Structures are given as structure tokens and as C-alpha cells.
mmCIF file of all heavy atoms in Angstrom:
data_model
loop_
_atom_site.group_PDB
_atom_site.id
_atom_site.type_symbol
_atom_site.label_atom_id
_atom_site.label_comp_id
_atom_site.label_asym_id
_atom_site.label_seq_id
_atom_site.Cartn_x
_atom_site.Cartn_y
_atom_site.Cartn_z
ATOM 1 N N TRP A 309 269.997 176.394 53.403
ATOM 2 C CA TRP A 309 270.424 176.733 52.043
ATOM 3 C C TRP A 309 271.860 176.303 51.751
ATOM 4 O O TRP A 309 272.255 176.215 50.592
ATOM 5 C CB TRP A 309 270.210 178.219 51.768
ATOM 6 C CG TRP A 309 271.285 179.152 52.233
ATOM 7 C CD1 TRP A 309 272.468 179.414 51.603
ATOM 8 C CD2 TRP A 309 271.277 179.992 53.401
ATOM 9 N NE1 TRP A 309 273.187 180.356 52.302
ATOM 10 C CE2 TRP A 309 272.478 180.737 53.412
ATOM 11 C CE3 TRP A 309 270.373 180.204 54.427
ATOM 12 C CZ2 TRP A 309 272.790 181.647 54.410
ATOM 13 C CZ3 TRP A 309 270.682 181.121 55.412
ATOM 14 C CH2 TRP A 309 271.872 181.816 55.405
ATOM 15 N N LYS A 310 272.640 176.024 52.790
ATOM 16 C CA LYS A 310 274.015 175.581 52.588
ATOM 17 C C LYS A 310 274.134 174.059 52.502
ATOM 18 O O LYS A 310 275.224 173.524 52.277
ATOM 19 C CB LYS A 310 274.910 176.082 53.731
ATOM 20 C CG LYS A 310 274.962 177.591 53.881
ATOM 21 C CD LYS A 310 275.573 178.272 52.672
ATOM 22 C CE LYS A 310 277.057 178.012 52.547
ATOM 23 N NZ LYS A 310 277.668 178.764 51.431
ATOM 24 N N GLN A 311 273.032 173.364 52.692
ATOM 25 C CA GLN A 311 273.066 171.911 52.714
ATOM 26 C C GLN A 311 272.650 171.317 51.373
ATOM 27 O O GLN A 311 272.060 171.996 50.520
ATOM 28 C CB GLN A 311 272.149 171.390 53.827
ATOM 29 C CG GLN A 311 272.539 171.855 55.226
ATOM 30 C CD GLN A 311 271.610 171.323 56.293
ATOM 31 O OE1 GLN A 311 271.258 170.152 56.295
ATOM 32 N NE2 GLN A 311 271.195 172.197 57.215
ATOM 33 N N ASN A 312 272.948 170.055 51.206
ATOM 34 C CA ASN A 312 272.588 169.329 49.985
ATOM 35 C C ASN A 312 271.075 169.099 49.968
ATOM 36 O O ASN A 312 270.527 168.500 50.896
ATOM 37 C CB ASN A 312 273.321 167.983 49.958
ATOM 38 C CG ASN A 312 273.095 167.231 48.661
ATOM 39 O OD1 ASN A 312 272.127 167.464 47.943
ATOM 40 N ND2 ASN A 312 274.003 166.316 48.363
ATOM 41 N N PRO A 313 270.380 169.568 48.929
ATOM 42 C CA PRO A 313 268.918 169.405 48.875
ATOM 43 C C PRO A 313 268.477 167.941 48.991
ATOM 44 O O PRO A 313 267.392 167.668 49.508
ATOM 45 C CB PRO A 313 268.548 169.974 47.500
ATOM 46 C CG PRO A 313 269.671 170.896 47.148
ATOM 47 C CD PRO A 313 270.898 170.321 47.773
ATOM 48 N N LEU A 314 269.307 167.025 48.526
ATOM 49 C CA LEU A 314 268.959 165.609 48.577
ATOM 50 C C LEU A 314 268.911 165.076 50.003
ATOM 51 O O LEU A 314 268.324 164.023 50.265
ATOM 52 C CB LEU A 314 269.958 164.785 47.747
ATOM 53 C CG LEU A 314 270.004 165.107 46.247
ATOM 54 C CD1 LEU A 314 271.087 164.286 45.567
ATOM 55 C CD2 LEU A 314 268.639 164.860 45.590
ATOM 56 N N GLN A 315 269.548 165.804 50.925
ATOM 57 C CA GLN A 315 269.600 165.370 52.317
ATOM 58 C C GLN A 315 268.583 166.090 53.198
ATOM 59 O O GLN A 315 268.569 165.920 54.413
ATOM 60 C CB GLN A 315 271.013 165.574 52.866
ATOM 61 C CG GLN A 315 272.066 164.742 52.152
ATOM 62 C CD GLN A 315 273.473 165.031 52.636
ATOM 63 O OE1 GLN A 315 273.716 166.017 53.319
ATOM 64 N NE2 GLN A 315 274.405 164.161 52.276
ATOM 65 N N LEU A 316 267.735 166.896 52.572
ATOM 66 C CA LEU A 316 266.728 167.647 53.322
ATOM 67 C C LEU A 316 265.337 167.105 53.028
ATOM 68 O O LEU A 316 265.032 166.753 51.877
ATOM 69 C CB LEU A 316 266.792 169.136 52.959
ATOM 70 C CG LEU A 316 268.089 169.874 53.299
ATOM 71 C CD1 LEU A 316 268.064 171.270 52.713
ATOM 72 C CD2 LEU A 316 268.300 169.936 54.793
ATOM 73 N N ASN A 317 264.489 167.063 54.040
ATOM 74 C CA ASN A 317 263.101 166.674 53.829
ATOM 75 C C ASN A 317 262.187 167.881 54.051
ATOM 76 O O ASN A 317 262.653 168.981 54.376
ATOM 77 C CB ASN A 317 262.713 165.511 54.756
ATOM 78 C CG ASN A 317 262.956 165.833 56.234
ATOM 79 O OD1 ASN A 317 262.774 166.983 56.654
ATOM 80 N ND2 ASN A 317 263.354 164.844 57.014
ATOM 81 N N ASP A 318 260.891 167.673 53.888
ATOM 82 C CA ASP A 318 259.939 168.781 54.012
ATOM 83 C C ASP A 318 260.019 169.439 55.386
ATOM 84 O O ASP A 318 259.945 170.671 55.501
ATOM 85 C CB ASP A 318 258.519 168.276 53.775
ATOM 86 C CG ASP A 318 258.265 167.938 52.311
ATOM 87 O OD1 ASP A 318 259.164 168.193 51.488
ATOM 88 O OD2 ASP A 318 257.177 167.417 52.002
ATOM 89 N N LYS A 319 260.167 168.626 56.420
ATOM 90 C CA LYS A 319 260.240 169.177 57.779
ATOM 91 C C LYS A 319 261.447 170.090 57.934
ATOM 92 O O LYS A 319 261.365 171.149 58.581
ATOM 93 C CB LYS A 319 260.293 168.054 58.808
ATOM 94 C CG LYS A 319 260.249 168.557 60.259
ATOM 95 C CD LYS A 319 260.257 167.424 61.257
ATOM 96 C CE LYS A 319 260.114 167.929 62.694
ATOM 97 N NZ LYS A 319 261.138 168.903 63.076
ATOM 98 N N ASN A 320 262.589 169.708 57.344
ATOM 99 C CA ASN A 320 263.787 170.553 57.407
ATOM 100 C C ASN A 320 263.520 171.920 56.804
ATOM 101 O O ASN A 320 263.894 172.955 57.375
ATOM 102 C CB ASN A 320 264.947 169.895 56.673
ATOM 103 C CG ASN A 320 265.371 168.572 57.291
ATOM 104 O OD1 ASN A 320 265.705 167.630 56.587
ATOM 105 N ND2 ASN A 320 265.368 168.483 58.619
ATOM 106 N N TYR A 321 262.874 171.933 55.654
ATOM 107 C CA TYR A 321 262.583 173.198 54.984
ATOM 108 C C TYR A 321 261.575 174.029 55.772
ATOM 109 O O TYR A 321 261.716 175.258 55.888
ATOM 110 C CB TYR A 321 262.062 172.948 53.569
ATOM 111 C CG TYR A 321 263.134 172.562 52.573
ATOM 112 C CD1 TYR A 321 263.211 171.271 52.073
ATOM 113 C CD2 TYR A 321 264.066 173.502 52.138
ATOM 114 C CE1 TYR A 321 264.192 170.913 51.155
ATOM 115 C CE2 TYR A 321 265.048 173.162 51.226
ATOM 116 C CZ TYR A 321 265.112 171.869 50.734
ATOM 117 O OH TYR A 321 266.092 171.531 49.837
ATOM 118 N N LEU A 322 260.556 173.384 56.316
ATOM 119 C CA LEU A 322 259.550 174.111 57.089
ATOM 120 C C LEU A 322 260.132 174.663 58.384
ATOM 121 O O LEU A 322 259.831 175.796 58.777
ATOM 122 C CB LEU A 322 258.359 173.204 57.386
ATOM 123 C CG LEU A 322 257.510 172.802 56.176
ATOM 124 C CD1 LEU A 322 256.463 171.768 56.575
ATOM 125 C CD2 LEU A 322 256.850 174.017 55.551
ATOM 126 N N ASP A 323 260.967 173.874 59.028
ATOM 127 C CA ASP A 323 261.621 174.348 60.254
ATOM 128 C C ASP A 323 262.492 175.562 59.965
ATOM 129 O O ASP A 323 262.523 176.532 60.745
ATOM 130 C CB ASP A 323 262.474 173.239 60.875
ATOM 131 C CG ASP A 323 261.632 172.151 61.530
ATOM 132 O OD1 ASP A 323 260.424 172.376 61.724
ATOM 133 O OD2 ASP A 323 262.186 171.068 61.828
ATOM 134 N N PHE A 324 263.204 175.511 58.858
ATOM 135 C CA PHE A 324 264.069 176.641 58.499
ATOM 136 C C PHE A 324 263.240 177.884 58.172
ATOM 137 O O PHE A 324 263.606 179.010 58.529
ATOM 138 C CB PHE A 324 264.950 176.265 57.311
ATOM 139 C CG PHE A 324 265.859 177.382 56.868
ATOM 140 C CD1 PHE A 324 266.811 177.908 57.734
ATOM 141 C CD2 PHE A 324 265.767 177.921 55.594
ATOM 142 C CE1 PHE A 324 267.646 178.942 57.338
ATOM 143 C CE2 PHE A 324 266.590 178.954 55.190
ATOM 144 C CZ PHE A 324 267.533 179.468 56.062
ATOM 145 N N TYR A 325 262.094 177.685 57.518
ATOM 146 C CA TYR A 325 261.200 178.806 57.203
ATOM 147 C C TYR A 325 260.771 179.523 58.476
ATOM 148 O O TYR A 325 260.803 180.760 58.556
ATOM 149 C CB TYR A 325 259.980 178.286 56.446
ATOM 150 C CG TYR A 325 258.947 179.340 56.116
ATOM 151 C CD1 TYR A 325 259.140 180.227 55.057
ATOM 152 C CD2 TYR A 325 257.767 179.447 56.848
ATOM 153 C CE1 TYR A 325 258.188 181.187 54.743
ATOM 154 C CE2 TYR A 325 256.818 180.402 56.542
ATOM 155 C CZ TYR A 325 257.036 181.266 55.489
ATOM 156 O OH TYR A 325 256.094 182.223 55.182
ATOM 157 N N HIS A 326 260.404 178.746 59.481
ATOM 158 C CA HIS A 326 259.933 179.364 60.735
ATOM 159 C C HIS A 326 261.101 179.887 61.573
ATOM 160 O O HIS A 326 260.901 180.748 62.441
ATOM 161 C CB HIS A 326 259.087 178.365 61.517
ATOM 162 C CG HIS A 326 257.762 178.081 60.861
ATOM 163 N ND1 HIS A 326 256.769 179.030 60.755
ATOM 164 C CD2 HIS A 326 257.286 176.968 60.243
ATOM 165 C CE1 HIS A 326 255.729 178.515 60.124
ATOM 166 N NE2 HIS A 326 256.013 177.269 59.797
ATOM 167 N N GLU A 327 262.287 179.397 61.307
ATOM 168 C CA GLU A 327 263.476 179.986 61.928
ATOM 169 C C GLU A 327 263.747 181.359 61.312
ATOM 170 O O GLU A 327 264.113 182.312 62.015
ATOM 171 C CB GLU A 327 264.684 179.071 61.722
ATOM 172 C CG GLU A 327 265.958 179.561 62.426
ATOM 173 C CD GLU A 327 267.136 178.624 62.231
ATOM 174 O OE1 GLU A 327 266.977 177.578 61.568
ATOM 175 O OE2 GLU A 327 268.223 178.956 62.723
ATOM 176 N N LEU A 328 263.550 181.468 60.009
ATOM 177 C CA LEU A 328 263.723 182.756 59.323
ATOM 178 C C LEU A 328 262.645 183.750 59.738
ATOM 179 O O LEU A 328 262.927 184.933 59.969
ATOM 180 C CB LEU A 328 263.646 182.556 57.806
ATOM 181 C CG LEU A 328 264.875 182.072 57.068
ATOM 182 C CD1 LEU A 328 264.518 181.785 55.611
ATOM 183 C CD2 LEU A 328 265.999 183.087 57.135
ATOM 184 N N TYR A 329 261.409 183.269 59.826
ATOM 185 C CA TYR A 329 260.261 184.144 60.085
ATOM 186 C C TYR A 329 259.465 183.581 61.278
ATOM 187 O O TYR A 329 258.419 182.954 61.092
ATOM 188 C CB TYR A 329 259.369 184.235 58.852
ATOM 189 C CG TYR A 329 260.119 184.611 57.607
ATOM 190 C CD1 TYR A 329 260.355 183.672 56.595
ATOM 191 C CD2 TYR A 329 260.629 185.897 57.428
ATOM 192 C CE1 TYR A 329 261.050 184.009 55.450
ATOM 193 C CE2 TYR A 329 261.326 186.237 56.284
ATOM 194 C CZ TYR A 329 261.537 185.293 55.305
ATOM 195 O OH TYR A 329 262.233 185.630 54.167
ATOM 196 N N PRO A 330 259.953 183.793 62.478
ATOM 197 C CA PRO A 330 259.308 183.197 63.662
ATOM 198 C C PRO A 330 257.887 183.691 63.900
ATOM 199 O O PRO A 330 257.120 183.028 64.608
ATOM 200 C CB PRO A 330 260.239 183.607 64.816
ATOM 201 C CG PRO A 330 261.056 184.746 64.299
ATOM 202 C CD PRO A 330 261.179 184.543 62.829
ATOM 203 N N ASN A 331 257.520 184.824 63.306
ATOM 204 C CA ASN A 331 256.161 185.350 63.511
ATOM 205 C C ASN A 331 255.162 184.853 62.470
ATOM 206 O O ASN A 331 253.978 185.192 62.537
ATOM 207 C CB ASN A 331 256.184 186.883 63.497
ATOM 208 C CG ASN A 331 256.988 187.451 64.655
ATOM 209 O OD1 ASN A 331 256.947 186.913 65.753
ATOM 210 N ND2 ASN A 331 257.726 188.526 64.419
ATOM 211 N N GLN A 332 255.636 184.080 61.508
ATOM 212 C CA GLN A 332 254.751 183.530 60.483
ATOM 213 C C GLN A 332 254.069 182.269 61.000
ATOM 214 O O GLN A 332 254.728 181.283 61.333
ATOM 215 C CB GLN A 332 255.553 183.200 59.221
ATOM 216 C CG GLN A 332 255.860 184.402 58.350
ATOM 217 C CD GLN A 332 254.608 184.931 57.658
ATOM 218 O OE1 GLN A 332 253.693 184.199 57.325
ATOM 219 N NE2 GLN A 332 254.585 186.240 57.441
ATOM 220 N N LEU A 333 252.754 182.289 61.067
ATOM 221 C CA LEU A 333 252.011 181.135 61.575
ATOM 222 C C LEU A 333 251.737 180.109 60.480
ATOM 223 O O LEU A 333 251.757 178.899 60.727
ATOM 224 C CB LEU A 333 250.690 181.598 62.197
ATOM 225 C CG LEU A 333 250.823 182.577 63.378
ATOM 226 C CD1 LEU A 333 249.448 182.997 63.887
ATOM 227 C CD2 LEU A 333 251.626 181.945 64.509
ATOM 228 N N ASP A 334 251.467 180.581 59.263
ATOM 229 C CA ASP A 334 251.162 179.671 58.157
ATOM 230 C C ASP A 334 252.434 179.082 57.564
ATOM 231 O O ASP A 334 253.464 179.754 57.458
ATOM 232 C CB ASP A 334 250.404 180.409 57.051
ATOM 233 C CG ASP A 334 249.017 180.831 57.502
ATOM 234 O OD1 ASP A 334 248.454 180.154 58.383
ATOM 235 O OD2 ASP A 334 248.499 181.835 56.975
ATOM 236 N N ASP A 335 252.330 177.838 57.145
ATOM 237 C CA ASP A 335 253.430 177.214 56.407
ATOM 238 C C ASP A 335 253.418 177.721 54.963
ATOM 239 O O ASP A 335 252.361 178.080 54.428
ATOM 240 C CB ASP A 335 253.277 175.686 56.386
ATOM 241 C CG ASP A 335 253.580 175.053 57.732
ATOM 242 O OD1 ASP A 335 254.231 175.730 58.561
ATOM 243 O OD2 ASP A 335 253.168 173.907 57.959
ATOM 244 N N PRO A 336 254.579 177.750 54.318
ATOM 245 C CA PRO A 336 254.600 178.094 52.897
ATOM 246 C C PRO A 336 253.979 176.961 52.078
ATOM 247 O O PRO A 336 253.861 175.829 52.545
ATOM 248 C CB PRO A 336 256.097 178.235 52.599
ATOM 249 C CG PRO A 336 256.753 177.336 53.597
ATOM 250 C CD PRO A 336 255.907 177.421 54.840
ATOM 251 N N LEU A 337 253.590 177.275 50.849
ATOM 252 C CA LEU A 337 252.981 176.268 49.980
ATOM 253 C C LEU A 337 254.025 175.290 49.449
ATOM 254 O O LEU A 337 253.798 174.097 49.378
ATOM 255 C CB LEU A 337 252.270 176.961 48.819
ATOM 256 C CG LEU A 337 251.080 177.835 49.219
ATOM 257 C CD1 LEU A 337 250.663 178.723 48.053
ATOM 258 C CD2 LEU A 337 249.922 176.978 49.669
ATOM 259 N N PHE A 338 255.167 175.839 49.024
ATOM 260 C CA PHE A 338 256.279 175.019 48.536
ATOM 261 C C PHE A 338 257.492 175.917 48.456
ATOM 262 O O PHE A 338 257.444 177.098 48.822
ATOM 263 C CB PHE A 338 255.963 174.374 47.180
ATOM 264 C CG PHE A 338 255.573 175.356 46.104
ATOM 265 C CD1 PHE A 338 256.528 175.922 45.271
ATOM 266 C CD2 PHE A 338 254.245 175.718 45.931
ATOM 267 C CE1 PHE A 338 256.172 176.827 44.296
ATOM 268 C CE2 PHE A 338 253.881 176.633 44.946
ATOM 269 C CZ PHE A 338 254.851 177.188 44.127
ATOM 270 N N TRP A 339 258.607 175.390 47.981
ATOM 271 C CA TRP A 339 259.849 176.149 47.989
ATOM 272 C C TRP A 339 260.736 175.732 46.822
ATOM 273 O O TRP A 339 260.545 174.683 46.203
ATOM 274 C CB TRP A 339 260.593 175.953 49.316
ATOM 275 C CG TRP A 339 260.623 174.519 49.737
ATOM 276 C CD1 TRP A 339 261.528 173.557 49.387
ATOM 277 C CD2 TRP A 339 259.641 173.875 50.568
ATOM 278 N NE1 TRP A 339 261.190 172.355 49.954
ATOM 279 C CE2 TRP A 339 260.035 172.519 50.681
ATOM 280 C CE3 TRP A 339 258.494 174.312 51.232
ATOM 281 C CZ2 TRP A 339 259.310 171.597 51.427
ATOM 282 C CZ3 TRP A 339 257.773 173.399 51.968
ATOM 283 C CH2 TRP A 339 258.175 172.065 52.071
ATOM 284 N N VAL A 340 261.725 176.588 46.532
ATOM 285 C CA VAL A 340 262.698 176.324 45.476
ATOM 286 C C VAL A 340 264.086 176.431 46.095
ATOM 287 O O VAL A 340 264.425 177.467 46.684
ATOM 288 C CB VAL A 340 262.572 177.347 44.327
ATOM 289 C CG1 VAL A 340 263.571 177.028 43.214
ATOM 290 C CG2 VAL A 340 261.151 177.380 43.786
ATOM 291 N N HIS A 341 264.867 175.368 45.975
ATOM 292 C CA HIS A 341 266.238 175.379 46.500
ATOM 293 C C HIS A 341 267.177 175.789 45.368
ATOM 294 O O HIS A 341 267.241 175.146 44.325
ATOM 295 C CB HIS A 341 266.616 173.991 47.024
ATOM 296 C CG HIS A 341 267.812 174.016 47.931
ATOM 297 N ND1 HIS A 341 267.805 173.449 49.193
ATOM 298 C CD2 HIS A 341 269.049 174.556 47.783
ATOM 299 C CE1 HIS A 341 268.993 173.622 49.769
ATOM 300 N NE2 HIS A 341 269.754 174.289 48.927
ATOM 301 N N LEU A 342 267.916 176.882 45.578
ATOM 302 C CA LEU A 342 268.833 177.407 44.573
ATOM 303 C C LEU A 342 270.245 176.922 44.875
ATOM 304 O O LEU A 342 270.695 176.970 46.016
ATOM 305 C CB LEU A 342 268.816 178.943 44.580
ATOM 306 C CG LEU A 342 267.436 179.613 44.485
ATOM 307 C CD1 LEU A 342 267.566 181.111 44.717
ATOM 308 C CD2 LEU A 342 266.790 179.342 43.138
#
């Protein structure tokens, strides 16, 4: 969330999601960068 959205790809966002919620097995559908 502290990085430039233009420099992030889908894998970056998915990796961060599972870093936040290590017990979540399913990937999120999509995301919104604020």
C-alpha cells in the first residue's frame, strides 16, 4: 500500500494479500488501491 500502483503487478497484490491473511487459501477476486 505504500508503493506506486503503477509499479505493482497482480502477483505483488496477491502476495501481499496472503502476507496479510496467511490462513486465507482463496485468492481475492480483485482489489482497489487507495
Side-chain angles (χ1 to χ4, degrees):
W309 84 80
K310 300 296 290 185
Q311 299 180 45
N312 185 338
L314 298 177
Q315 297 176 346
L316 297 172
N317 56 35
D318 288 355
K319 185 178 184 304
N320 297 141
Y321 284 109
L322 292 173
D323 287 347
F324 179 61
Y325 177 78
H326 290 293
E327 184 179 359
L328 279 173
Y329 308 108
N331 296 323
Q332 281 289 328
L333 300 178
D334 293 332
D335 287 342
L337 295 167
F338 56 90
W339 45 87
V340 182
H341 197 128
L342 308 171

